[in-house]
Amino acid sequence: MKIQLLLRVLLIVSMLFSCKQEWNEIAISSPDSKLQLIFDLNNGKPTYKLNLNGKPIVLESQMGFRLQGRPALDSNFILLDRKVRSINESWEQIWGEEKIIHNNYNEVILYLKESTGSERSLNITFRLYNSGLGFRYEFPEQENLNEFQISEELTNFTLANEADVWWIPAYQPERYEYLYKKSKLSEVDTAHTPLTVETKDGLFLSFHEAALYDFPSYTLYASDTNILALDLVPWSNRIKAYVKTPFVTPWRTIQVAEEPQDLITNYLILNLNDTCRIADTSWIEPTKYVGIWWEMHIDKYTWASGKKHGATTERTKQYIDFAAKYGFGGVLIEGWNIGWDGDWIKNGELFSFTEPYPDFDIEYLAKYAKEKGISLIGHHETSGQIDNYEKQMEEAYKMYENLGIRYLKTGYVGAGYPGGRLFNGEWHHGQYAVRHFQRSVELAARHHIMLNIHESVKDCGLRRTWPNLMSREGARGMEYNAWSPDGGNPPDYIPTLVFTRLLAGPMDYTPGIFDLEIPTKPGNRVNTTLAKQLAYYVIIYSPLQMAADLPENYEGNPAFQFIRDVPCDWEKTVALNGKIGNYVTIARKDRNSDNWYLGSITDEEARNLKLRADFLEARTKYLMNAYADGEDADWISNPLSLKITQDTIERADTIYLKLAPGGGTAIQFVPIPKK
Ligand code: NOJ
């Protein structure tokens, strides 16, 4: 009898314990059960862990916020309720690197409330995909937390061990325009995201964020040898964020891959963004473009008025004719508007965004382009003089719409204020700038304008919701090869960028330089072979893809055929191999034909790569047009050596690639009609 009583007591105690366990420690798994997220209210402090196949990726890590002039929102919580759901659906990108995106996750929303004091509420949502984790905070509308200021976000990522990290420094004058460093995690003083990690266990992780609205972007710093702590980019007054409830933060994301190239086709960031907010998207169209641009970077012409002025009516007409002849949809014109004379980097307040220089007949040219089925791509360089720009944006966008100018490149070079901030003292990556860029995107959408933003805040997948936000720069572009005193972008730059910056979204890198040795700029050159320039069109995804060299360098060059053929809107993307900073091979299928394209690039090492052609359709023979490095090609001594060959190929075949030092290969596969 006594034993039975004891057993009953034990049973009740164990039930209570498991209940308590259930309330405080909540676990969800990814749909394939490999990843596991464990949330724990550790003495009232919210924490989380992430495991893969039972092994920790992220050890118990902190969550919560410090607020300005109020108690922190990081402890003292009880769990009031939770909601779980599973989603398994597909959606279509109106343009993209992949047409159909699979969205499959398990979610838990946790409803927390402080157990004492002002009993403020905070909800946390976790979404676990097979390919990673996203979580975000929600501040519900409530009496004791209405309008407030965040002084610190306490979220951190505690890795199981010290790890290797690829990163660029934050809070530097050139924004995101730095060469990536590989270092131990402990050496990260403050880094932008996406930040890529290789763990001791050989896993590849990318830390980033999704759906960045009305909140500062975050950077990361090593707060210990294995801890990456989140740091919100502040306002000039050091406040991190102004919040009014109800409010949800952007998603904090960890993408997980067993092979580095699997990060490339991980669409978690897009999935965490909201569905499209533009009702009629029929006017949104990816395109390749040419433009009056490289000639200024190589000092052949000037943005400023005068004898060497680049954006003249006559030259723009030649570009429009060239674009029409070779099937480009846009012509970018930089230096068309008043304000470039003198030191434009410092005198951005002199820019007018509606007044052209007298030798640029904007009305005539916009009409001339339209008649040829082309759009001018307008350009607004603000030089970070954001107040001047804000005053004129509405008028300027309206003017472009009236003229039928459908694309706009904006720029925010801002080197005038200490640290390279915008001229009003705000960072390009704080809440102020995030709000500004969003105003620009929404205004552009109202005026049917597609945007390409240079010097913008990083991409967090907003293109899903606002697909008129086509491309961004957000890293060192091609232009660094024309003038940067450090010798330009080295051969390992793009093989690194593919696994870092490019994981965030499209980049307007402006590839396609054929005149690699830049005769007008002694001492500068483009550090690739010609074949590698072609491969960039497949490797670097952007729905606005420039052929950046001068028309005269393309005319008559057989390599130009690849740029004419390659599309910039894809049905499918397959990442075939890769090693961060060394090499990568990607195949993509055209969205508007059955053609496939392949790009492969290497760093300064020559490489022989062997691939299966199993991305091609079965029972189909393809004509393979290959643009490979010549036998004697070498990015330093013989960059122009190119071998163009034709062959037939089928899915069961093997592809052998021979990449020269600093080289690459570009291939087009065209199905041969069955007889
Ligand atoms: C920097 C941009 O990245 C570049 O493309 C542009 O030509 C210059 N600013 C001038 O606006």
Side-chain angles (χ1 to χ4, degrees):
M1 188 61 196
K2 262 188 183 163
I3 289 182
Q4 264 184 357
L5 194 69
L6 189 68
L7 281 176
R8 269 176 92 167
V9 170
L10 275 176
L11 187 71
I12 291 168
V13 169
S14 81
M15 274 171 65
L16 279 175
F17 184 69
S18 70
C19 234
K20 183 170 171 283
Q21 278 286 82
E22 209 184 303
W23 273 130
N24 280 332
E25 193 177 286
I26 307 282
I28 55 165
S29 296
S30 56
D32 66 3
S33 305
K34 288 188 180 167
L35 284 173
Q36 199 192 22
L37 175 277
I38 302 146
F39 172 83
D40 194 6
L41 263 187
N42 198 342
N43 291 325
K45 275 185 177 288
T47 64
Y48 73 99
K49 291 187 245 184
L50 182 67
N51 293 339
L52 175 69
N53 296 323
K55 270 184 104 178
I57 300 181
V58 178
L59 303 174
E60 187 168 285
S61 296
Q62 236 179 301
M63 310 188 86
F65 297 89
R66 280 205 193 102
L67 308 186
Q68 192 71 17
R70 300 175 185 223
L73 252 185
D74 67 339
S75 54
N76 205 12
F77 283 110
I78 48 168
L79 184 59
L80 290 186
D81 198 4
R82 65 179 160 162
K83 250 191 221 149
V84 288
R85 65 171 182 156
S86 297
I87 296 291
N88 190 1
E89 62 182 17
S90 292
W91 57 278
E92 190 176 319
Q93 291 205 83
I94 70 156
W95 49 260
E97 65 282 66
E98 185 83 17
K99 185 169 176 185
I100 305 295
I101 303 278
H102 197 196
N103 184 29
N104 185 15
Y105 62 83
N106 292 330
E107 175 186 89
V108 59
I109 308 178
L110 303 165
Y111 298 88
L112 308 179
K113 193 172 186 146
E114 289 173 318
S115 56
T116 54
S118 36
E119 299 188 6
R120 295 165 301 178
S121 302
L122 176 72
N123 305 336
I124 305 176
T125 303
F126 291 95
R127 279 189 193 167
L128 200 52
Y129 295 77
N130 295 340
S131 61
L133 170 69
F135 60 90
R136 70 176 176 191
Y137 302 91
E138 179 188 350
F139 306 102
E141 197 168 358
Q142 54 195 293
E143 220 172 88
N144 291 330
L145 200 60
N146 182 7
E147 277 184 56
F148 63 100
Q149 293 141 29
I150 293 176
S151 51
E152 206 71 68
E153 177 170 339
L154 299 168
T155 308
N156 68 20
F157 307 105
T158 305
L159 300 193
N161 295 294
E162 164 82 297
D164 288 330
V165 181
W166 286 263
W167 59 287
I168 48 168
Y171 303 111
Q172 297 299 316
E174 302 301 336
R175 305 157 302 272
Y176 300 110
E177 298 169 14
Y178 288 90
L179 296 176
Y180 278 79
K181 292 192 227 188
K182 183 183 179 189
S183 79
K184 291 279 164 230
L185 188 150
S186 53
E187 288 163 39
V188 176
D189 45 20
T190 163
H192 283 297
T193 71
L195 171 140
T196 305
V197 168
E198 182 175 0
T199 69
K200 279 243 158 50
D201 297 329
L203 285 178
F204 295 88
L205 311 177
S206 169
F207 293 87
H208 193 43
E209 53 185 312
L212 173 61
Y213 293 99
D214 199 11
F215 207 66
S217 75
Y218 78 73
T219 72
L220 290 169
Y221 65 94
S223 64
D224 206 331
T225 51
N226 61 328
I227 304 181
L228 288 167
L230 197 135
D231 151 62
L232 298 175
V233 175
W235 286 75
S236 50
N237 63 7
R238 299 187 182 208
I239 298 288
K240 300 289 174 70
Y242 290 86
V243 177
K244 188 172 176 343
T245 60
F247 184 79
V248 283
T249 68
W251 296 91
R252 280 70 190 89
T253 60
I254 310 172
Q255 288 159 276
V256 182
E258 294 186 25
E259 299 292 339
Q261 68 270 22
D262 294 340
L263 288 174
I264 299 169
T265 47
N266 182 323
Y267 301 115
L268 181 143
I269 302 289
L270 279 175
N271 272 326
L272 287 170
N273 275 272
D274 287 339
T275 51
C276 183
R277 292 270 305 273
I278 301 176
D280 172 16
T281 55
S282 57
W283 52 276
I284 300 176
E285 215 183 342
T287 194
K288 285 181 291 183
Y289 69 98
V290 290
I292 300 176
W293 177 78
W294 184 240
E295 38 274 74
M296 273 84 87
H297 287 275
I298 61 170
D299 288 349
K300 199 168 172 201
Y301 299 122
T302 55
W303 283 279
S305 61
K307 268 209 218 90
K308 279 173 75 184
H309 186 210
T312 62
T313 302
E314 199 194 331
R315 192 162 301 109
T316 309
K317 246 183 109 180
Q318 286 162 10
Y319 271 80
I320 295 170
D321 293 341
F322 180 83
K325 182 168 168 199
Y326 294 113
F328 292 89
V331 173
L332 169 70
I333 8 103
E334 294 203 1
W336 67 276
N337 57 321
I338 302 284
W340 290 93
D341 300 343
D343 187 348
W344 59 267
I345 294 182
K346 297 229 162 72
N347 301 331
E349 80 282 4
L350 301 180
F351 275 123
S352 161
F353 301 101
T354 46
E355 269 176 284
Y357 276 125
D359 57 350
F360 184 80
D361 189 342
I362 193 166
E363 272 158 36
Y364 168 76
L365 289 165
K367 192 158 162 271
Y368 184 73
K370 215 167 159 191
E371 279 163 13
K372 301 222 163 192
I374 285 162
S375 170
L376 293 181
I377 300 182
H379 183 233
H380 292 165
E381 174 55 68
T382 67
S383 291
Q385 278 284 3
I386 207 121
D387 302 341
N388 178 45
Y389 190 45
E390 289 259 357
K391 276 188 239 143
Q392 300 184 52
M393 269 162 75
E394 179 93 50
E395 266 315 295
Y397 289 23
K398 210 188 288 166
M399 179 181 100
Y400 274 166
E401 185 181 27
N402 291 341
L403 289 168
I405 296 178
R406 302 171 56 208
Y407 299 92
L408 167 61
K409 171 176 171 181
T410 54
Y412 297 82
V413 171
Y417 197 89
R421 297 182 222 177
L422 298 164
F423 268 76
N424 59 12
E426 302 301 337
W427 290 104
H428 287 68
H429 318 125
Q431 187 177 29
Y432 171 85
V434 168
R435 285 177 177 167
H436 167 78
F437 291 124
Q438 190 57 28
R439 257 198 305 283
S440 165
V441 172
E442 294 185 24
L443 187 64
R446 281 205 292 285
H447 291 286
H448 301 101
I449 290 171
M450 291 165 267
L451 269 188
N452 171 12
I453 315 178
H454 280 222
E455 297 87 31
S456 80
V457 68
K458 66 193 177 189
D459 193 340
C460 295
L462 270 56
R463 61 185 160 129
R464 179 176 182 190
T465 314
W466 297 98
N468 66 317
L469 175 42
M470 310 287 282
S471 202
R472 310 183 191 223
E473 187 184 40
R476 286 168 63 123
M478 178 65 82
E479 65 207 37
Y480 274 75
N481 295 309
W483 40 251
S484 115
D486 64 3
N489 299 334
D492 66 355
Y493 177 61
I494 301 291
T496 309
L497 213 64
V498 170
F499 299 96
T500 50
R501 152 69 181 87
L502 296 181
L503 300 178
M507 177 178 177
D508 186 40
Y509 181 75
T510 66
I513 299 302
F514 281 16
D515 200 7
L516 295 162
E517 287 176 336
I518 320 183
T520 50
K521 295 281 297 206
N524 293 91
R525 51 161 298 157
V526 180
N527 303 317
T528 70
T529 64
L530 178 55
K532 188 172 178 179
Q533 289 293 314
L534 299 180
Y536 282 169
Y537 287 89
V538 186
I539 293 287
I540 302 171
Y541 170 62
S542 179
L544 295 180
Q545 193 70 283
M546 188 175 199
D549 212 335
L550 316 182
E552 56 266 35
N553 293 334
Y554 289 136
E555 289 276 11
N557 190 328
F560 185 48
Q561 188 59 42
F562 186 80
I563 300 183
R564 292 182 61 193
D565 290 338
V566 70
C568 57
D569 193 16
W570 306 99
E571 172 103 15
K572 266 197 178 81
T573 288
V574 190
L576 295 166
N577 60 30
K579 189 154 187 274
I580 305 179
N582 296 142
Y583 66 93
V584 61
T585 309
I586 298 175
R588 303 191 199 261
K589 187 186 165 288
D590 182 11
R591 183 137 346 167
N592 300 305
S593 79
D594 291 326
N595 297 352
W596 277 85
Y597 291 80
L598 178 144
S600 185
I601 56 169
T602 180
D603 56 8
E604 59 291 323
E605 297 236 338
R607 266 170 233 280
N608 293 318
L609 300 173
K610 192 174 147 193
L611 308 164
R612 297 180 58 202
D614 57 3
F615 51 88
L616 297 173
E617 287 299 318
R619 292 178 292 283
T620 308
K621 205 177 214 144
Y622 291 81
L623 180 66
M624 176 164 108
N625 294 311
Y627 300 73
D629 291 319
E631 289 302 325
D632 52 353
D634 179 295
W635 70 281
I636 300 176
S637 57
N638 198 5
L640 297 180
S641 172
L642 181 81
K643 196 169 67 187
I644 305 179
T645 54
Q646 283 204 332
D647 210 340
T648 57
I649 185 167
E650 287 177 3
R651 186 185 159 87
D653 293 337
T654 302
I655 302 172
Y656 296 92
L657 303 176
K658 195 163 177 292
L659 313 179
T665 298
I667 307 180
Q668 178 195 41
F669 303 89
V670 183
I672 299 172
K674 290 181 189 122
K675 287 192 188 125

